[in-house]
Amino acid sequence: MMYRFQMNYGRKAERRGFLSTGLLVLFFTSVGYGQIRTDSLLRIFLYQPDQVLVASHRGNHVSHPENSLPAFKAAVQAGAAVLELDVRQSKDGHLVVLHDRTVDRTTDGKGNVADLTLSELKRLHLLFDGKPTAWRIPTFQEALEAVKGDVLVDIDFKADTEEAAEACYQIVEQLHMERQVLFFLYDPTWVPRCLSRNPEIKVMPRARNAEMVYTLLNEPRVRVIHIDDSFYSDELARDMRDRGVRVWANSLGNADRTALEKEGDFEGFFDRMPLVNIVQTDYPQALVNFLTTKN
């Protein structure tokens, strides 16, 4: 996909005693200049910290089955800069995109993903609003191919073997998408191991407290850290941004619901965490709309 257009969420006034930098959002429309969208996104991700990037959780699943190919494409169309997806391993070693340990909630089948072969998984239909659709569980490779060049991909890796992790890296490399993806790491001790395997692939460790953030800032190759609102402070976020590190936080759950109850007003989220510059949401279109109206 080839997109380029930027819209700003202008500079805020002083809030709660702190001077907040401007919040900006990317909203991309198709252009024909031969430049893939991810080239622009990557430059902004790395070098323009004042631009807020919208991350779409499991694709745009407001109108499509979660973690489905149409949900991924709809996330791009909504203007999301980052697509989050979940990776698991089938019984016969294939990587598939599914959030839960079982297929029970999101498909018309039953059982553990790890106990089903790829062929068995592919016979299942993804659900939307509790009803079967024509869409099937995508493989990890199918998911990447569907959005190659369109969006940065946050890989929430839920397979638990070294072999699966190696297979994941190999698929990314075969598709030449090393610069387009980042690995979400629940355990920050994995950072050196992942970076040594392929330093072009970005990692996003999840910090559990401010002290962990400052430890991670000692690794210069870490360019984004997932934080929680429980320990957010403007000082912490400013220190991260001064080091060239993106500040990722979730608007999932209550924050998303509150925004929707206020007709898509995410002001409360940014009141609490004004210096966050990647926001993950279940409602990417609503967040993009909110930020663009604040131009």
Side-chain angles (χ1 to χ4, degrees):
M1 306 177 204
M2 303 175 185
Y3 303 81
R4 190 177 63 185
F5 185 66
Q6 303 174 21
M7 300 190 82
N8 297 335
Y9 174 16
R11 291 197 174 273
K12 290 178 174 288
E14 190 170 355
R15 193 187 295 274
R16 295 183 184 176
F18 296 100
L19 183 64
S20 172
T21 62
L23 300 174
L24 299 89
V25 67
L26 290 171
F27 184 79
F28 292 88
T29 54
S30 181
V31 296
Y33 299 117
Q35 178 185 27
I36 61 173
R37 185 189 190 218
T38 48
D39 287 344
S40 295
L41 284 175
L42 189 60
R43 285 195 297 272
I44 292 162
F45 178 95
L46 294 173
Y47 305 119
Q48 299 181 34
D50 282 345
Q51 298 222 2
V52 174
L53 303 179
V54 175
S56 184
H57 185 230
R58 305 179 201 170
N60 189 350
H61 57 85
V62 174
S63 55
H64 302 281
E66 70 174 57
N67 275 323
S68 67
L69 297 183
F72 300 154
K73 294 179 179 179
V76 177
Q77 294 169 354
V82 183
L83 166 68
E84 185 267 354
L85 53 78
D86 305 278
V87 176
R88 291 190 177 276
Q89 190 175 34
S90 69
K91 181 179 180 180
D92 50 348
H94 293 275
L95 298 183
V96 295
V97 180
L98 202 76
H99 177 270
D100 297 0
R101 192 176 298 276
T102 75
V103 300
D104 300 16
R105 179 180 66 85
T106 55
T107 79
D108 57 358
K110 299 290 184 182
N112 294 322
V113 177
D115 294 333
L116 299 170
T117 65
L118 178 62
S119 177
E120 291 169 328
L121 290 168
K122 280 293 189 180
R123 287 199 287 269
L124 305 178
H125 295 265
L126 291 172
L127 303 181
F128 182 68
D129 282 344
K131 300 176 182 178
T133 69
W135 295 101
R136 311 296 179 124
I137 298 171
T139 65
F140 177 54
Q141 181 163 339
E142 289 169 343
L144 289 187
E145 289 174 338
V147 298
K148 183 176 181 179
D150 296 343
V151 70
L152 302 179
V153 180
D154 167 32
I155 302 169
D156 190 339
F157 192 72
K158 289 180 162 60
D160 55 3
T161 68
E162 292 276 359
E163 293 77 11
E166 177 61 25
C168 190
Y169 269 89
Q170 288 178 3
I171 291 171
V172 171
E173 291 164 350
Q174 288 166 7
L175 295 175
H176 306 291
M177 292 177 65
E178 296 95 320
R179 289 167 55 80
Q180 187 177 338
V181 305
L182 61 98
F183 275 85
F184 177 50
L185 300 177
Y186 293 95
D187 184 354
T189 63
W190 274 68
V191 168
R193 189 184 314 179
C194 290
L195 289 174
S196 65
R197 171 58 179 79
N198 188 329
E200 279 197 276
I201 296 178
K202 293 172 290 298
V203 296
M204 180 174 66
R206 179 167 188 172
R208 303 293 178 178
N209 51 56
E211 291 75 19
M212 190 177 293
V213 170
Y214 283 108
T215 298
L216 289 167
L217 289 178
N218 292 324
E219 170 51 78
R221 293 175 295 177
V222 170
R223 302 303 300 272
V224 54
I225 299 175
H226 186 305
I227 69 165
D228 294 331
D229 58 358
S230 61
F231 61 87
Y232 170 89
S233 71
D234 284 3
E235 179 183 6
L236 175 68
R238 194 173 291 113
D239 287 344
M240 292 172 65
R241 289 168 58 146
D242 287 346
R243 301 275 194 96
V245 175
R246 282 262 170 188
V247 187
W248 174 301
N250 290 340
S251 176
L252 307 175
N254 288 335
D256 269 352
R257 285 191 291 270
T258 299
L260 291 181
E261 290 169 0
K262 297 180 178 179
E263 299 183 347
D265 187 349
F266 285 81
E267 194 76 39
F269 175 88
F270 291 107
D271 281 345
R272 294 190 303 276
M273 297 187 285
L275 297 183
V276 167
N277 55 12
I278 302 184
V279 182
Q280 180 172 230
T281 177
D282 282 324
Y283 302 94
Q285 187 69 73
L287 182 53
V288 165
N289 290 345
F290 168 76
L291 291 170
T292 54
T293 60
K294 295 297 180 180
N295 183 26

